[in-house]
Amino acid sequence: MRTLLLTLLIGVSNSIYAQKIRVSGDVCNILTQEGVNRAIVKLMTTDNSTVLATDTTRYRLITEKGDNWENTFADKQSGAVFSFIVPAMKEYLLVVEAKGFEEYRQQVVPEAGKRAVSVPHVYLRPRAKDIQLKEAVVKATRIKMFYKGDTLIYNADAFNVAQTESLRKLVQQLPGAEMTDGQIRINGKRVDNLLVSGKDFFQGNIQAALDNLPAYIVSRIKVYDKAGEQSELTGRDMHDESYVMDVRLKRKYIGMWMAKLSADGGTDNLWGGQGFLMRFDDRQMFTVNADINNFNQNRQMMDMANTQENYPSGRVSTKTIRFSYYMEPNKTWRFTSGGSVSRRDTEQQSWQNNETYLTPRNLMSRHAEHMNGEDLTASVSASLRARKSQRWQHSLSYNFDYTRKRSTRDSRSLSYYLPAKAAWEGISLDSIIRLEEKEAGKNALLYSLVDPSLSRSRSLSHRPEWHSSFVFGTDMFNFSAALKHEEQTRHDFSNYRLMTYADGTTDARRRYLYQSDDLLDFSSELNWMHRYERLQQYNGVVKPFFRYSHRHGTANHPEYRLERMAEWSSQQSWELESLGRLPQTEWQTLCLDEANSYYSTEKEHKAEAGVNLSHKILFEGGTSLQIETNAAFYYQRRMLDYDREGCKYSPQREGFFFRPNLTLKWKYENREGRTWMPEWDASYQGKPAMPALTQLLPIRDSSDPLNRFVGNADLGNPFTHELNTTYRLQHVKSGRSFNINAIYRRLHNDIATQSVFDPATGIRTYQPVNTSCTHALRGRVELSSPLDGKRRFYLTASLSADYYQAEKLSFLTEESAATAGLLRNIGFTPWLALRVTIGNKFRFYSRWNTTFRHAFQPGMSDSYRETVLYGDINYTLPWGIQLATLIKSTLYAGNSQATLNRTVTNWDATLSKYFLNDRLGIHIKAHDILAQTNNFSNEVTATGRIESYTDALPRHLMLTVSYDFNWVRKKKQ
């Protein structure tokens, strides 16, 4: 009887259990991606008549424990969870309600035989009339940006990016963002680092992060001042914050494997292939990137619509593979590693016009060259960090780099004085050089040079580094040491043939130079950081420090004149193909050029002691002033043992130096209730230096017959003064911003190069000299503003100017050196950009800028201007075809060669179509549709004007097929 009763109870309980099912999930704000706490979740029958269960959402609680501490906090980033057990049914209706949000309804269908259902993330949309986030009040359904305290947050879903575009394309659209010179600036302030979900996966490499992360996986982007590692270790503000861009990812992509394969083929025998694999989660990231192509790109998951080439000059083919791994399982351990192997083959045609400002007449030089190069590089790095919060931290890292290079250059050069310019401007260099000596002399040619060369080099370096920190209450003790060992060998061959037309002489040399350099560099630092605080009125961090470094380097540079082996030399051609051969006999002693061979050993000791002070004052009204000083005294001693032509030289220099730095930062600490947010920075830096000891040697280096170098034992120590100030003003509600920046630099005892020409032979003699006439001033004013309430139209206008002044140190004769004056260079650049985003189908960016450049010296002035018109359009055509087109027109004016004053228009376009849920992509790209690519540049410097040109990738049509793989490992419920 008992057995029967027990059997019946078990059967009933199993039956009841089989009729129950668990339904769970989480609820988030679609704009901020944070959890919505205390939302009401109901599970109802599909006819909306019966409520089966009700629950209220709540944050997950996370507890972190240490040896002597425990901390529990609510995880707002992972969504607010709900869960209930209900009778098993074929279908349910899920209803979510929360104050200020639109009601959410969703059908839930359990899988057959499953006892648990995990509802996908529920995203609530705020009611349009109720959306009010701090200072931003917007009625649109998608908010592009808003402030949360001092954190600027961009909603990635509100921007127009294609499925295959990288994070770079998304950042380019952010209001107030500017990307120039490899840096990101938000409202005029430079971003120091780019994080992924709060972690430094890319180890400070902002460009790698922009190119490797696809834009569609990004949920939001936060920009804020982040506490540094010292603050995180001590748990106190150690004034080491940095301005970071934190990219937050959509939860469904966390833990996902992402892969991409692509193949390219085009006209003009162009081809390429690419593979990419990446996985990341809350603890780690792993990436592998492989690329091979011959169309001048070095790609890292670059988006297909980006037509900007990495190598705009010549013809370049690359083969590259990279990997990186980052793991931070908890706050104690962090491990990072990475490496790459790359080979690049380059072929390039180039020419250059160089007009040197002399007195009383300028010198013209023309140069043409054909270059072939092969570069192989490999690098690997690893780093391990262990940390115990408020106790200690240790880190060990190692970096290894290897480089091998091989290049050949076939060069032609010609020189004459300016009055003869018109006679030779339109004739090729080969034609001129082949002229008879008599006729060339009639036309005032100075000299011609034919100089084919071959170079081979190899270098490798090792760098281990150790860092330790110990925390004692509010103080911290730090020690670091690094050792770098670098080796380099180089072999240079050249067939040097110089024709001087004044006397008809020829200087023919077969030169071989062997270089072997070895460098050992050790550096260490010991510092103590103390934080002080008085109520909340002010606080600060004082850091006394001591540093010591030692350098030891050796150089062996024997040079050989192979033409001294007359019998062997007469059998060799003077063309490029003969280079790289050496005689089979004992030739080293017979061919050694003792006058131009040298051997040296250099040592340096540097000991530095000083103090860093960061003092922060809080004023009434919410403003703060941070004062940062860095004052140091150091002793530096350099010693050189130099052996040349049987003579030994032992110059040395030592001295005590003072290095002052002062920075002031003023801003509002709290944005609450403020409409305008101003910030102001100002700094002064003093940088003492010491000349290289080789510049002090009393020798004349004539290894290059046209360019001779003479030392100067009387050189003084240079000192640089630099003043920098920046003012930023931003309107919180509208997004308008105003920025102004100015930098002034003055060099006392600047080490400049003086050159004197021999008008008869064209030989130029160089000597380093001191001058205190070097000044530079650069400034920029910028205004950015949206043109409509929805921020679809965004306008940026700026005006930059610069002034450079230096002493005139290029002379035609030694006598003309007495007429030395000042060289001045002035430039102005107005700049205007318009960015337009309409819906998710149209994106437009345009830019105009004109650079006006003017250089003048006593008795001479020169000027030119260069205008750039740029347009970038992305538009979704019918049938889902995506069009990306880029047009850039450059207008040249004022160049010394009149044929260069013209307009060049580059036009690229790409058509893309995606299939299989946007996984399969077909792309057709047309490059340089108008066939006008012209890599021409014009630069006016303190000593002359340089006009240069290099050949470019020709017009072509490219077909690319790409396929994306995304998969997630299923998790147990």
Side-chain angles (χ1 to χ4, degrees):
M1 185 68 181
R2 290 181 179 179
T3 304
L4 179 60
L5 181 61
L6 180 61
T7 303
L8 289 174
L9 289 174
I10 294 175
V12 171
S13 61
N14 286 340
S15 176
I16 294 173
Y17 182 78
Q19 296 174 6
K20 297 290 184 178
I21 189 170
R22 177 182 293 275
V23 179
S24 61
D26 58 70
V27 180
C28 298
N29 185 327
I30 194 172
L31 298 180
T32 66
Q33 301 293 310
E34 293 183 350
V36 179
N37 195 29
R38 303 189 66 82
I40 304 300
V41 183
K42 301 176 184 178
L43 199 66
M44 308 176 66
T45 57
T46 54
D47 60 2
N48 203 20
S49 62
T50 305
V51 176
L52 301 175
T54 302
D55 195 11
T56 302
T57 60
R58 61 238 170 235
Y59 294 133
R60 294 181 176 94
L61 295 180
I62 297 178
T63 301
E64 294 183 347
K65 295 182 179 181
D67 291 342
N68 299 310
W69 60 274
E70 181 175 315
N71 182 28
T72 301
F73 59 92
D75 182 13
K76 298 181 181 180
Q77 306 298 329
S78 300
V81 299
F82 63 87
S83 176
F84 28 60
I85 298 176
V86 294
M89 300 178 63
K90 294 183 178 180
E91 191 174 2
Y92 304 92
L93 176 64
L94 182 72
V95 180
V96 184
E97 300 173 343
K99 183 178 179 180
F101 293 87
E102 296 178 359
E103 185 182 75
Y104 179 90
R105 289 174 173 260
Q106 175 187 340
Q107 286 187 331
V108 178
V109 181
E111 293 185 23
K114 297 291 184 180
R115 296 180 179 177
V117 177
S118 179
V119 179
H121 304 294
V122 175
Y123 290 100
L124 299 185
R125 187 180 302 276
R127 294 194 184 98
K129 64 179 181 180
D130 292 331
I131 298 178
Q132 182 170 346
L133 298 171
K134 302 299 181 183
E135 293 80 358
V137 179
V138 188
K139 294 183 179 180
T141 55
R142 287 184 176 180
I143 298 178
K144 288 189 174 182
M145 58 176 285
F146 59 93
Y147 276 96
K148 186 175 183 181
D150 289 338
T151 300
L152 174 59
I153 301 177
Y154 294 98
N155 176 26
D157 290 333
F159 296 92
N160 183 358
V161 289
Q163 177 72 13
T164 58
E165 290 184 328
S166 65
L167 177 62
R168 182 183 297 272
K169 282 290 187 180
L170 175 59
V171 173
Q172 287 174 347
Q173 298 182 59
L174 302 182
E178 180 186 2
M179 298 177 62
T180 56
D181 302 326
Q183 295 181 343
I184 302 175
R185 295 182 183 274
I186 303 295
N187 298 319
K189 188 174 182 179
R190 181 174 63 87
V191 173
D192 299 312
N193 200 2
L194 194 149
L195 309 178
V196 180
S197 297
K199 296 185 178 181
D200 190 9
F201 284 130
F202 292 93
Q203 296 294 287
N205 190 339
I206 295 178
Q207 299 305 311
L210 292 175
D211 293 334
N212 277 274
L213 287 175
Y216 69 89
I217 70 173
V218 178
S219 168
R220 63 192 183 277
I221 296 176
K222 295 184 175 182
V223 184
Y224 56 92
D225 290 313
K226 182 180 184 298
E229 283 204 351
Q230 294 170 345
S231 297
E232 293 178 353
L233 178 61
T234 61
R236 292 175 172 266
D237 181 10
M238 304 301 288
H239 292 200
D240 59 344
E241 65 181 21
S242 60
Y243 197 55
V244 301
M245 175 177 286
D246 191 354
V247 178
R248 298 285 173 160
L249 308 180
K250 296 176 180 177
R251 291 190 56 80
K252 66 179 180 179
Y253 294 108
I254 296 177
M256 173 178 286
W257 286 90
M258 292 187 295
K260 173 182 177 180
L261 294 175
S262 68
D264 315 276
T267 58
D268 204 44
N269 296 319
L270 299 180
W271 47 263
Q274 186 181 18
F276 178 79
L277 176 66
M278 177 168 64
R279 184 190 184 278
F280 50 83
D281 54 34
D282 295 332
R283 303 188 311 158
Q284 59 188 339
M285 183 184 76
F286 170 74
T287 64
V288 177
N289 196 312
D291 176 38
I292 179 172
N293 71 80
N294 69 342
F295 45 82
N296 294 32
Q297 288 190 2
N298 189 6
R299 301 176 295 179
Q300 294 188 60
M301 199 178 169
M302 297 291 287
D303 60 77
M304 299 307 301
N306 185 357
T307 57
Q308 182 67 36
E309 295 171 346
N310 297 80
Y311 307 111
S313 301
R315 299 295 299 270
V316 183
S317 64
T318 59
K319 302 176 181 68
T320 305
I321 184 169
R322 301 177 180 88
F323 83 92
S324 65
Y325 180 67
Y326 180 105
M327 181 178 66
E328 191 171 354
N330 49 52
K331 292 189 175 182
T332 300
W333 296 98
R334 182 174 72 190
F335 174 76
T336 63
S337 65
S340 66
V341 178
S342 177
R343 172 171 169 168
R344 185 178 69 202
D345 297 282
T346 305
E347 182 177 4
Q348 185 180 91
Q349 298 275 0
S350 63
W351 58 255
Q352 186 179 95
N353 287 343
N354 193 333
E355 181 178 352
T356 304
Y357 302 144
L358 300 174
T359 302
R361 52 182 175 166
N362 294 345
L363 181 73
M364 294 296 298
S365 299
R366 292 179 58 191
H367 177 83
E369 180 178 276
H370 179 221
M371 186 273 288
N372 278 283
E374 173 193 308
D375 295 349
L376 175 66
T377 60
S379 65
V380 64
S381 64
S383 175
L384 177 65
R385 188 203 72 183
R387 167 192 288 181
K388 179 73 70 173
S389 295
Q390 300 184 356
R391 296 282 296 277
W392 50 260
Q393 175 177 295
H394 304 289
S395 64
L396 175 65
S397 64
Y398 173 75
N399 293 272
F400 171 78
D401 295 285
Y402 173 82
T403 302
R404 189 191 70 193
K405 296 183 178 182
R406 177 187 174 94
S407 65
T408 60
R409 300 177 184 273
D410 201 355
S411 304
R412 303 284 191 274
S413 301
L414 190 71
S415 183
Y416 46 84
Y417 292 106
L418 190 59
K421 167 191 160 187
W424 306 111
E425 197 171 72
I427 307 177
S428 70
L429 292 184
D430 281 341
S431 300
I432 299 174
I433 293 173
R434 285 196 297 265
L435 288 175
E436 296 293 334
E437 174 188 339
K438 182 177 179 181
E439 185 174 347
K442 286 181 181 179
N443 289 281
L445 289 180
L446 187 59
Y447 66 81
S448 65
L449 174 64
V450 179
D451 186 19
S453 63
L454 167 67
S455 178
R456 299 171 181 166
S457 66
R458 180 185 66 87
S459 66
L460 57 89
S461 68
H462 310 264
R463 181 182 172 85
E465 186 171 356
W466 175 265
H467 180 87
S468 290
S469 299
F470 300 91
V471 178
F472 302 95
T474 60
D475 297 347
M476 185 165 65
F477 172 82
N478 299 291
F479 170 76
S480 63
L483 179 67
K484 181 179 181 181
H485 180 230
E486 185 174 1
E487 298 178 3
Q488 180 176 346
T489 58
R490 184 182 178 101
H491 303 265
D492 287 341
F493 296 84
S494 66
N495 289 338
Y496 186 94
R497 290 178 295 166
L498 173 67
M499 166 71 77
T500 304
Y501 289 105
D503 54 12
T505 60
T506 301
D507 186 349
R509 306 184 182 192
R510 296 187 188 274
R511 300 185 297 187
Y512 167 55
L513 173 64
Y514 171 72
Q515 299 181 10
S516 177
D517 298 333
D518 187 276
L519 174 65
L520 188 66
D521 191 342
F522 170 77
S523 62
S524 61
E525 179 176 348
L526 188 67
N527 65 66
W528 185 276
M529 299 182 67
H530 170 70
R531 187 181 189 275
Y532 57 88
E533 184 175 5
R534 181 176 179 181
L535 300 177
Q536 292 185 349
Q537 182 181 1
Y538 65 80
N539 64 78
V541 176
V542 59
K543 182 175 76 172
F545 63 86
F546 175 78
R547 297 172 184 151
Y548 173 75
S549 63
H550 173 68
R551 291 169 56 91
H552 182 278
T554 61
N556 296 290
H557 290 202
E559 183 170 327
Y560 302 91
R561 296 279 300 276
L562 300 180
E563 82 278 359
R564 293 178 180 176
M565 299 285 294
E567 182 177 349
W568 175 85
S569 178
S570 62
Q571 301 174 1
Q572 306 298 318
S573 166
W574 284 85
E575 299 301 321
L576 180 66
E577 292 75 14
S578 67
L579 296 176
R581 300 188 181 97
L582 294 172
Q584 298 296 323
T585 59
E586 296 294 331
W587 54 271
Q588 285 86 350
T589 302
L590 296 174
C591 297
L592 181 63
D593 185 357
E594 295 185 355
N596 296 306
S597 300
Y598 69 89
Y599 314 88
S600 68
T601 300
E602 185 172 6
K603 301 176 183 179
E604 177 185 281
H605 299 273
K606 184 177 179 181
E608 182 176 359
V611 60
N612 292 344
L613 173 65
S614 179
H615 184 79
K616 191 172 186 179
I617 307 173
L618 300 177
F619 300 100
E620 294 183 2
T623 62
S624 69
L625 177 64
Q626 186 167 331
I627 305 172
E628 298 178 356
T629 63
N630 183 328
F633 289 91
Y634 67 88
Y635 170 77
Q636 186 175 12
R637 185 184 183 190
R638 289 180 178 173
M639 300 164 287
L640 176 66
D641 294 326
Y642 189 89
D643 185 353
R644 189 185 188 108
E645 203 171 0
C647 297
K648 296 184 182 296
Y649 305 91
S650 300
Q652 63 179 21
R653 180 164 290 193
E654 60 182 343
F656 288 91
F657 301 89
F658 176 59
R659 178 174 52 79
N661 292 289
L662 175 64
T663 301
L664 304 177
K665 299 180 179 179
W666 177 87
K667 67 175 183 178
Y668 274 89
E669 288 294 314
N670 193 349
R671 295 178 179 268
E672 296 292 340
R674 296 203 56 84
T675 302
W676 290 94
M677 292 299 301
E679 290 186 40
W680 172 73
D681 300 342
S683 65
Y684 165 77
Q685 292 184 347
K687 302 176 184 177
M690 185 183 290
L693 295 184
T694 53
Q695 295 177 309
L696 308 179
L697 293 171
I699 61 173
R700 179 181 294 266
D701 187 336
S702 58
S703 56
D704 185 343
L706 287 175
N707 300 284
R708 299 176 179 176
F709 300 87
V710 181
N712 183 357
D714 297 326
L715 284 178
N717 297 325
F719 193 96
T720 302
H721 303 271
E722 182 175 301
L723 292 169
N724 190 338
T725 183
T726 302
Y727 179 76
R728 295 179 292 271
L729 181 64
Q730 184 182 11
H731 192 271
V732 176
K733 182 177 180 180
S734 66
R736 292 192 298 270
S737 65
F738 172 78
N739 307 292
I740 184 169
N741 172 258
I743 300 176
Y744 171 72
R745 184 181 294 111
R746 178 182 182 271
L747 280 76
H748 176 72
N749 271 348
D750 181 25
I751 298 179
T753 302
Q754 175 180 285
S755 61
V756 178
F757 281 82
D758 184 335
T761 62
I763 295 175
R764 181 163 50 179
T765 302
Y766 298 90
Q767 184 179 35
V769 296
N770 285 121
T771 174
S772 294
C773 298
T774 306
H775 300 260
L777 178 63
R778 185 171 69 252
R780 183 178 183 183
V781 179
E782 180 183 270
L783 176 65
S784 298
S785 175
L787 301 181
D788 64 329
K790 296 182 179 180
R791 306 192 185 193
R792 296 172 301 178
F793 300 85
Y794 208 91
L795 180 69
T796 302
S798 71
L799 174 65
S800 59
D802 61 87
Y803 171 78
Y804 178 81
Q805 172 187 297
E807 186 174 1
K808 183 179 184 299
L809 295 173
S810 297
F811 309 104
L812 187 60
T813 62
E814 293 186 2
E815 292 76 13
S816 63
T819 64
L822 292 177
L823 291 170
R824 295 182 174 89
N825 196 323
I826 300 176
F828 298 93
T829 304
W831 192 85
L832 193 66
L834 177 65
R835 182 168 56 229
V836 179
T837 302
I838 300 178
N840 59 359
K841 291 188 176 182
F842 181 77
R843 189 175 74 221
F844 171 71
Y845 174 79
S846 63
R847 183 183 77 242
W848 160 80
N849 63 273
T850 298
T851 299
F852 300 89
R853 182 68 59 187
H854 182 69
F856 55 95
Q857 60 175 310
M860 191 280 301
S861 65
D862 200 357
S863 62
Y864 77 95
R865 66 182 180 274
E866 182 176 310
T867 299
V868 176
L869 301 174
Y870 178 93
D872 186 353
I873 300 174
N874 289 263
Y875 182 64
T876 302
L877 302 171
W879 303 292
I881 299 175
Q882 298 178 9
L883 168 66
T885 184
L886 180 153
I887 301 176
K888 178 181 177 182
S889 290
T890 307
L891 291 75
Y892 302 97
N895 299 299
S896 67
Q897 188 168 329
T899 56
L900 301 177
N901 297 321
R902 60 193 182 97
T903 299
V904 176
T905 301
N906 300 322
W907 181 17
D908 294 350
T910 301
L911 290 174
S912 301
K913 174 63 179 176
Y914 297 94
F915 306 90
L916 304 179
N917 294 325
D918 291 337
R919 293 183 179 273
L920 175 64
I922 308 295
H923 316 270
I924 300 177
K925 172 185 173 181
H927 170 74
D928 191 19
I929 296 174
L930 302 179
Q932 292 190 10
T933 297
N934 186 332
N935 291 324
F936 168 75
S937 66
N938 186 354
E939 181 182 8
V940 177
T941 67
T943 58
R945 174 207 291 271
I946 301 173
E947 300 167 346
S948 59
Y949 169 87
T950 56
D951 65 331
L953 197 66
R955 175 171 56 181
H956 64 265
L957 195 66
M958 181 78 68
L959 172 65
T960 299
V961 179
S962 63
Y963 191 83
D964 292 328
F965 303 84
N966 296 331
W967 67 95
V968 182
R969 187 181 65 180
K970 293 185 178 180
K971 301 179 181 179
K972 296 181 179 179
Q973 298 296 332

